[in-house]
Amino acid sequence: SGDPIENASVRMAGIGEFNTDNDGKVRFQIPEDPFMKISVSVRKKGYIDTDFTLELKAGTIFLNRFSISPSIPLDHIRVVLDWGKKPNDLDAHFVKMNSYHISYRNMKQDADGVAMLDRDDTNGYGPETLTVTKIDSNKEYDYFIHDYSNGNIKNSDRLSKSNAEVKVFGRGKLLYHFKIPQNKKGNTWKVFKMLNSKIVPVNVIDSM
C-alpha cells in the first residue's frame, strides 16, 4: 500500500536492533566503512519475514525506502517494485507468453484474479505491486519494468539511475531481491523470467 509500518523489528548486522516509529522509520549512525554491506532482517506480525542486504555507496544509502509484503498464501507470488524520486512513472509488466499481459493497461487477469497489478504508482518511489495466485508450470512468464516517463528515449540512462529494486515474495519469505544495473542505457529493465514454475534471473537493461 505504501503506508508506513509501525513497530516492525529491524535487525542490522553490525549496527544494532531497532523498532520502526510511527512513520515506519529507523535511524542509525552510518558505519565507518563507506561501502559496507549490511544484512538486514525485518519482522512484523502479519507480514512476510524479509531479509536483504543494504549496500552503502560512498557512505550513502541511495534508496532508503524498503517495502515488505503482508502475508500471502504459500503458493502465491508477490512482486514489489521500489525506486527513487525520479523518474516519476515506472511501470511493472508481467507477461504470460501467448496468453495475457498484466500492466497499468490491463490490471487484472480473469475474474478469479490469477494475476493482478495491486498498485500502480505514477509519482515516484513506489511501491508498485503485482500478485500472482496461479502459475502454469508449462508456460513461460516475463517480468520487466518500463520507464514510462522516458519511454521514447531509447538511449536514456534515467532508468538505470532510478535506484529501482524488485523484491519477489513467496513460500513465506523473500525469494529474490533484484537491484537495477548501474550506468546502463535503455528504457526497459528485464528483471526475471519464470520457466517450469522457477524464477530465472535476467537483470539486464534494454530498450523497447
Side-chain angles (χ1 to χ4, degrees):
S1 67
D3 295 331
I5 300 174
E6 181 182 1
N7 202 33
S9 172
V10 180
R11 177 179 296 178
M12 306 178 71
I15 305 294
E17 296 184 17
F18 310 88
N19 288 321
T20 56
D21 62 17
N22 293 342
D23 296 321
K25 296 179 180 179
V26 297
R27 292 173 173 82
F28 60 95
Q29 186 172 352
I30 295 294
E32 293 183 2
D33 182 353
F35 296 95
M36 184 176 181
K37 296 183 179 180
I38 306 169
S39 296
V40 180
S41 297
V42 183
R43 300 290 185 269
K44 172 74 174 181
K45 185 177 181 180
Y47 290 80
I48 296 175
D49 292 350
T50 304
D51 301 301
F52 62 94
T53 300
L54 174 63
E55 298 182 20
L56 299 183
K57 298 178 182 179
T60 301
I61 302 173
F62 286 99
L63 183 66
N64 58 10
R65 294 165 54 98
F66 300 92
S67 297
I68 64 175
S69 171
S71 298
I72 56 176
L74 292 178
D75 59 344
H76 292 191
I77 292 175
R78 177 164 291 145
V79 189
V80 180
L81 165 67
D82 291 301
W83 71 97
K85 183 178 180 180
K86 298 290 184 180
N88 286 341
D89 193 359
L90 298 185
D91 285 325
H93 294 255
F94 186 73
V95 180
K96 180 180 180 181
M97 303 305 291
N98 300 316
S99 182
Y100 64 72
H101 183 162
I102 298 295
S103 71
Y104 70 96
R105 295 180 184 272
N106 177 32
M107 297 180 65
K108 186 174 181 179
Q109 167 61 27
D110 292 337
D112 59 359
V114 169
M116 178 186 299
L117 185 67
D118 308 299
R119 187 174 192 271
D120 179 33
D121 187 277
T122 60
N123 58 3
Y125 298 111
E128 184 150 323
T129 70
L130 181 144
T131 303
V132 185
T133 64
K134 184 178 180 181
I135 295 293
D136 186 342
S137 61
N138 297 314
K139 296 293 184 178
E140 177 181 340
Y141 299 79
D142 283 329
Y143 177 88
F144 63 91
I145 305 301
H146 181 243
D147 180 0
Y148 186 86
S149 295
N150 304 288
N152 295 325
I153 310 174
K154 293 187 176 183
N155 63 348
S156 170
D157 63 354
R158 295 172 188 175
L159 175 59
S160 182
K161 291 179 177 179
S162 67
N163 295 308
E165 297 188 1
V166 167
K167 295 183 179 74
V168 184
F169 296 91
R171 301 198 294 272
K173 62 182 179 181
L174 176 62
L175 297 174
Y176 287 89
H177 183 198
F178 297 97
K179 301 179 181 181
I180 195 165
Q182 301 295 300
N183 303 313
K184 302 293 183 180
K185 292 185 177 181
N187 58 23
T188 303
W189 177 23
K190 298 178 180 178
V191 186
F192 66 85
K193 292 179 175 291
M194 292 191 71
L195 299 170
N196 301 318
S197 299
K198 295 182 179 180
I199 293 173
V200 179
V202 179
N203 205 32
V204 298
I205 290 182
D206 203 343
S207 290
M208 61 180 294

